[in-house]
Amino acid sequence: QQQVKQSPQSLIVQKGGISIINCAYENTAFDYFPWYQQFPGKGPALLIAIRPDVSEKKEGRFTISFNKSAKQFSLHIMDSQPGDSATYFCAAWPAWGGADGLTFGKGTHLIIHP
Amino acid sequence: GAGVSQSPRYKVAKRGQDVALRCDPISGHVSLFWYQQALGQGPEFLTYFQNEAQLDKSGLPSDRFFAERPEGSVSTLKIQRTQQEDSAVYLCASSFRTPRGTEAFFGQGTRLTVV
C-alpha cells in the first residue's frame, strides 16, 4: 500500500514559470512533511519541510502549501530555473507508530526548459 | 567528514555472492538509516539505528539482509546470497537527534548491480 501518492510523474516547465508538484497521504499520524531534491548520481537533499500546524511555508523560491483536512501538500517552485531540473520527492514521517524511517512518494522528474 | 560518506560507490556482484556496504555518518549523529532505492522509484526504508542499537528493522526485505553499527558510528549493510532483485541504490542517512521529524542527511549511495 502506497502511503504517499505523488503526482505528476514528470513535469516540463519553461524557464521563469511555476513548477507545482502534489502529494496526498492517508495516515493521519504523519506530522512531518519534507521535500527532497535529487540529482542523478547523488543522494536526496532536503529542500524544505513543514508540520501540519501551519498551512504554508516559504523559503526563497520554494513554497510548501499544506491542506490538513484534505491530507494533501504541494511544492511550488517560483521562477523555475534550468538548475532546478532534478527529481523531487515528497515524504512523510509519523509522530507515532509505523516504521522509524521516512515514507517517500515515487518522485517527480522535473525538466526546466531554458 | 562534512557529509555522509558511503563506499563503495558502485558494486557488481555475481548472483549468490555476499556483499558489504559501508556508511560513515556525520560525526556526532545519533540516528542512522538505511534505504533502498530501485531505479525510478523513491527510497524505501530498511532499518534504523540509534547509536549502536538497531531499533527498527521492519523494512529489511528478507533474512539475507543484515545491518550493524557496533560502535555507534560506522554502519555496514550486508546482503548474503545476492539475488537480481537486490539490484538498487542503497542510501544511508544520518541525523543529529532521534528520528522523527528531524532533518536527515543522505549519502550519495552505493549502486549495487547483481548479475
Side-chain angles (χ1 to χ4, degrees), chain A residues 102 104, chain B residues 34-38 41-47 59 91:
Chain A
L102 286 159
F104 283 85
Chain B
W34 284 98
Y35 290 83
Q36 180 190 60
Q37 186 174 23
Q41 301 294 314
E44 293 194 359
F45 169 76
L46 294 177
T47 188
L91 294 164

Side-chain angles (χ1 to χ4, degrees), chain A residues 93 100-101, chain B residues 31-35 45 47-48 91-95 99 104:
Chain A
W93 225 331
D100 276 323
Chain B
S31 297
L32 185 144
F33 310 82
W34 284 98
Y35 290 83
F45 169 76
T47 188
Y48 162 64
L91 294 164
C92 176
S94 71
S95 65

